[in-house]
Amino acid sequence: MAGKTVLKLSGVERHYGQGETTLSILKGADFELHSGEIVALVAPSGTGKSTLLHLAGLLEHPDAGEVFVGGHACNGLPDDDRTAIRRSEIGFVYQFHHLLPEFTALENIMMPQLIAGLPEREAKERASQLLDYMRIGHRGEHRPAELSGGEQQRVAIARAVANAPRVLLADEPTGNLDPETASYVFDALEALVKQSGLAALIATHNHDLAARMDRRVTIDGGKVVGF
């Protein structure tokens, strides 16, 4: 049963100019993401996957249409307000983990919480809980270079949800991992989503992982469609 709608794209359009021509990537795209569900975004390169994620994550403005996060329209908001929503409501995970190499796994997860103003003791406690939840609690004092690829990506996921966002957006989060490790990382992510009520949109080329998600969508003719 679908939970509350936490992310909605309504009639979203995105166009890019190339010389004297205009390249239309999204043409009136509609999409909803609900709490407690993981949706796979499976589409060939160049069809607009990254553009859709950037719009959903308020990193870009649509040329038309509206993006709602938690029921609030975001397109007309000042940049400071959009940044605040990104910081508190949206978590991002990329193909490369982007962990800070000079800090431990625990400190990497604490960082966004400290930036948000959480006391250090509380940030450390939550970071430890997330490491345990991702099954790498014993690796908290290790720096990224001392972790395996799968461990690094699980730390990246834990960091992305450290501030308890409503939405997690991931762009090929297992793209650099072997199939067994990718499956293990997805297991941990799925458990986190189901337990916390987080809503996750995962762009992936891995059809095996996509088949395990609650829904699969693609981009066809500038629209978001299920399959």
Side-chain angles (χ1 to χ4, degrees):
M1 183 177 174
K4 183 179 179 181
T5 300
V6 294
L7 173 68
K8 180 178 179 180
L9 277 63
S10 179
V12 165
E13 299 190 5
R14 192 70 174 102
H15 314 290
Y16 298 97
Q18 288 191 332
E20 296 181 357
T21 63
T22 299
L23 181 64
S24 295
I25 302 297
L26 298 175
K27 307 172 188 176
D30 298 312
F31 175 71
E32 290 189 7
L33 185 66
H34 309 104
S35 61
E37 75 168 349
I38 307 180
V39 176
L41 174 58
V42 185
S45 298
T47 55
K49 288 201 310 295
S50 294
T51 297
L52 184 69
L53 290 173
H54 288 167
L55 291 169
L58 308 185
L59 296 171
E60 292 184 31
H61 286 270
D63 294 305
E66 186 58 88
V67 178
F68 300 87
V69 178
H72 300 288
C74 299
N75 198 26
L77 294 177
D79 286 344
D80 286 351
D81 290 350
R82 289 167 62 88
T83 298
I85 291 172
R86 279 199 305 272
R87 187 177 296 150
S88 63
E89 304 286 329
I90 304 169
F92 297 91
V93 182
Y94 301 97
Q95 182 169 345
F96 185 72
H97 55 74
H98 295 296
L99 298 174
L100 299 172
E102 65 271 31
F103 294 103
T104 66
L106 187 73
E107 290 166 342
N108 265 279
I109 302 169
M110 290 173 62
M111 200 67 63
Q113 301 177 77
L114 296 175
I115 291 171
L118 202 67
E120 183 176 351
R121 181 182 57 79
E122 292 181 34
K124 185 173 184 179
E125 182 177 346
R126 176 157 172 79
S128 296
Q129 291 172 346
L130 284 167
L131 281 170
D132 287 340
Y133 208 87
M134 300 303 286
R135 307 176 191 170
I136 46 172
H138 61 295
R139 305 291 274 165
E141 297 304 319
H142 291 72
R143 287 180 170 79
E146 301 169 315
L147 303 175
S148 70
E151 289 170 339
Q152 290 170 345
Q153 201 60 310
R154 277 180 278 166
V155 173
I157 292 169
R159 180 184 59 184
V161 301
N163 285 335
R166 295 173 189 259
V167 179
L168 179 68
L169 302 173
D171 195 356
E172 298 287 350
T174 61
N176 288 329
L177 307 177
D178 64 82
E180 184 177 355
T181 304
S183 179
Y184 198 78
V185 169
F186 179 77
D187 286 343
L189 174 60
E190 183 179 37
L192 185 66
V193 168
K194 299 308 179 188
Q195 287 289 330
S196 67
L198 183 67
L201 177 61
I202 314 292
T204 182
H205 282 109
N206 188 324
H207 288 272
D208 291 334
L209 286 186
R212 294 168 55 186
M213 301 191 204
D214 298 314
R215 286 192 287 137
R216 290 174 293 169
V217 298
T218 190
I219 299 173
D220 186 14
K223 307 275 191 182
V224 180
V225 295
F227 70 99

